């Protein structure tokens, strides 16, 4: 009886680790228990493949990192309704993540698109991912994001946006005002650090999570957040005093190379910055007159 039990244990262990019948060539597959469900883990990482092979519809975890994909494999992901974890990091995915890219992967808990060349995210790219706990977009080329992108994922989702090329203009301000990106989860962490502004020059390296206050866009219709930290004030002061572009309702933030869609309403920033200097100057003049 003891021999039979040992044989059974050996068979079960072998079933857990050997390549399953549906495993793609060169990939490694095994049976796992994830999210209270038994299914397959498919590991096709580090194979320099430029297309996703056919995998079992019962796959729970799919690792396709460190390959040569140039776009999100929307068609290959269709039908994978049991997928909980998807890793497409360190590929060559470029351009825009399209709408409904993961519409049939509604049970996803973790989605990793980091370390690619993604430049933009369509507003409905992540619609339907109601169970998503972590969305990793760090280390890409993303410069802005519409409000719909952030609102389409649960408020509890940890969104990793560090190491991108953020243009802190009106569109990003509006998105951040609707859904903060500083959510933290005790069980999840982000690589890439805090997302920071790359442009306009006056806001370079300032955290986008500091967006508060008010900015009036060039069309005069959108009022969204602006950075008002002490370090921002110093940089904005230098920028405003040297800016050559002035509008009727505000002073543009940045030099001549700064995008023209961002204006500080009614010169409030300039007035706030110059007030101390005016008081000091007045006091000096008054002192001179009294001595005379």
């Amino acid at each position: 009886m003891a021999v039979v039990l040992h044989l059974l244990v050996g068979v079960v262990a072998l079933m857990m680790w050997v390549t399953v019948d549906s495993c793609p060539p060169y990939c490694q597959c095994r049976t796992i228990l994830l999210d209270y469900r038994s299914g397959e883990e498919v590991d096709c990482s580090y194979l320099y493949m430029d297309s996703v092979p056919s995998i079992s519809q019962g796959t729970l975890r799919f690792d396709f990192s460190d390959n040569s994909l140039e776009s999100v494999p929307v068609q290959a992901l269709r039908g994978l309704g049991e997928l909980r974890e998807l890793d497409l990091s360190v590929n060559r995915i470029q351009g825009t993540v399209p709408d409904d890219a993961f519409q049939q992967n509604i049970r996803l808990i973790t989605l990793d698109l980091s370390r690619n060349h993604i430049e933009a995210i369509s507003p409905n790219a992540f619609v339907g991912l109601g169970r998503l706990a972590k969305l990793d977009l760090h280390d890409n080329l993303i410069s802005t994001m519409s409000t719909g992108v952030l609102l389409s994922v649960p408020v509890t989702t940890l969104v990793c946006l560090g190491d991108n090329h953020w243009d802190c203009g009106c569109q990003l301000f509006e998105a951040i005002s609707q859904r903060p990106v500083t959510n933290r989860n005790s069980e999840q962490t982000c690589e890439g650090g805090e997302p920071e502004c790359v442009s306009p020059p006056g806001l370079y390296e300032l955290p986008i999570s500091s967006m508060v206050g008010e900015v009036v866009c060039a069309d005069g219709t959108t009022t969204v957040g602006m950075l008002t930290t002490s370090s921002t004030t110093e940089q904005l002061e230098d920028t405003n005093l040297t800016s050559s572009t002035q509008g009727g309702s505000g002073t543009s933030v940045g030099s001549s190379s700064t995008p023209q869609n961002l204006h500080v309403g009614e010169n409030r920033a300039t007035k706030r910055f110059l007030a101390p200097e005016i008081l000091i100057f007045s006091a000096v003049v008054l002192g001179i007159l009294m001595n005379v």
Side-chain angles (χ1 to χ4, degrees):
M1 182 58 111
V3 174
V4 174
L5 288 176
H6 280 295
L7 286 174
L8 287 174
V9 171
V11 169
V12 171
L14 188 61
M15 290 176 63
M16 291 289 289
W17 288 97
V18 299
T19 303
V20 297
D21 293 339
S22 59
C23 194
Y26 309 110
C27 299
Q28 296 181 344
C29 304
R30 62 171 179 153
T31 301
I32 61 171
L33 182 64
L34 179 63
D35 194 31
Y36 306 104
R37 184 177 179 83
S38 177
E40 292 182 20
E41 176 187 62
V42 181
D43 186 349
C44 297
S45 60
Y46 296 96
L47 295 177
Y48 306 102
M49 302 170 68
D50 58 8
S51 61
V52 173
S54 177
I55 62 176
S56 169
Q57 292 189 354
T59 301
L60 299 180
R61 177 184 293 143
F62 183 35
D63 186 350
F64 200 76
S65 60
D66 288 274
N67 280 290
S68 302
L69 281 178
E70 294 186 356
S71 61
V72 176
V74 177
Q75 294 299 325
L77 295 175
R78 296 191 187 281
L80 301 180
E82 298 299 326
L83 202 59
R84 265 62 169 182
E85 298 181 4
L86 175 61
D87 189 348
L88 299 177
S89 64
V90 199
N91 273 273
R92 300 175 183 174
I93 300 174
Q94 53 191 317
T96 302
V97 178
D99 285 330
D100 302 316
F102 308 96
Q103 64 175 343
Q104 294 193 19
N105 313 123
I106 59 174
R107 293 179 176 84
L108 271 179
I109 297 173
T110 302
L111 175 58
D112 193 345
L113 296 170
S114 65
R115 298 187 176 95
N116 279 286
H117 307 290
I118 298 170
E119 298 175 6
I121 310 290
S122 295
N124 298 315
F126 307 121
V127 167
L129 302 183
R131 299 191 63 202
L132 199 63
K134 182 177 182 179
L135 173 60
D136 197 342
L137 295 168
H138 91 271
D139 199 0
N140 277 285
L141 304 175
I142 306 170
S143 60
T144 191
M145 187 172 289
S146 69
T147 304
V149 175
L150 294 175
L151 292 182
S152 66
V153 297
V155 301
T156 55
T157 302
L158 177 63
V159 183
C160 302
L161 299 174
D163 289 337
N164 276 283
H165 293 188
W166 295 111
D167 173 18
C168 292
C170 285
Q171 184 179 31
L172 185 60
F173 279 130
E174 185 174 11
I176 299 305
S177 68
Q178 295 294 322
R179 205 282 199 182
V181 295
T182 55
N183 294 335
R184 286 296 177 264
N185 182 314
S186 60
E187 298 179 356
Q188 302 278 4
T189 58
C190 279
E191 294 183 38
E194 183 82 7
E196 298 176 341
C197 301
V198 172
S199 62
L203 304 182
Y204 182 68
E205 290 189 343
L206 290 168
I208 66 174
S209 61
S210 301
M211 295 179 184
V212 293
E214 182 179 281
V215 163
V216 179
C217 295
D219 60 7
T221 60
T222 307
T223 303
V224 286
M226 71 172 287
L227 290 160
T228 57
T229 61
S230 58
S231 58
T232 308
T233 300
E234 295 172 0
Q235 294 193 39
L236 281 176
E237 178 178 357
D238 294 337
T239 302
N240 280 305
L241 292 176
T242 57
S243 174
S244 60
T245 305
Q246 292 186 350
S249 62
T251 303
S252 68
V253 178
S255 63
S256 59
S257 61
T258 303
Q260 299 303 307
N261 67 334
L262 186 60
H263 295 261
V264 178
E266 300 179 358
N267 280 328
R268 294 173 190 166
T270 304
K271 291 178 181 177
R272 182 171 63 251
F273 300 143
L274 294 180
E277 285 79 359
I278 292 174
L279 291 175
I280 294 172
F281 178 78
S282 300
V284 171
V285 172
L286 181 61
I288 293 174
L289 291 175
M290 291 180 66
N291 289 330
V292 171

